[in-house]
């Protein structure tokens, strides 16, 4: 299960399962902490007091991106690009 939950390995079916199951989203977050960290480090340092706040905002933004993403229309290969844009703009 872990390998298919990595953001770079997502298939449209996996995205749909994550969208309908909050427990899978938690697993998805646990498997991809670096994805959010990489984006928020553009705004703050890892040891900054703001890091945790930005990380939480990034998690919410990732949930929103996943909720709004249409895997059938856009294809799984573009989810990471879409999610990056949503997180960066929050």
């Amino acid at each position: 299960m872990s390998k298919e939950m990595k953001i770079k390995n997502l298939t449209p079916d996996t995205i749909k399962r994550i969208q309908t199951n909050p427990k899978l989203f938690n697993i998805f977050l646990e498997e991809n902490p670096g994805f959010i960290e990489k984006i928020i480090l553009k705004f703050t340092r890892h040891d900054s007091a703001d890091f945790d706040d930005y990380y939480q905002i990034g998690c919410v933004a990732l949930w929103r991106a996943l909720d709004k993403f249409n895997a059938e229309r856009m294809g799984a290969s573009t989810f990471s690009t879409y999610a990056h844009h949503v997180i960066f703009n929050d």
Side-chain angles (χ1 to χ4, degrees), residues 9-55:
N9 297 330
L10 290 178
T11 64
D13 290 336
T14 304
I15 291 172
K16 288 178 196 171
R17 286 187 317 158
I18 296 169
Q19 287 172 328
T20 59
N21 187 335
K23 290 181 183 179
L24 287 180
F25 180 74
N26 289 334
I27 294 169
F28 176 69
L29 276 181
E30 290 171 7
E31 294 294 324
N32 295 286
F35 182 75
I36 296 170
E37 289 177 5
K38 182 179 175 183
I39 298 166
I40 65 175
L41 286 174
K42 295 177 182 178
F43 301 102
T44 187
R45 291 189 329 265
H46 206 295
D47 59 348
S48 168
D50 296 330
F51 182 82
D52 289 337
D53 293 334
Y54 280 112
Y55 189 82

Side-chain angles (χ1 to χ4, degrees), residues 57-76:
I57 291 168
C59 289
V60 171
L62 183 59
W63 174 256
R64 234 186 35 216
L66 190 61
D67 187 49
K68 293 182 178 191
F69 187 74
N70 184 344
E72 290 179 6
R73 193 179 118 207
M74 300 177 91

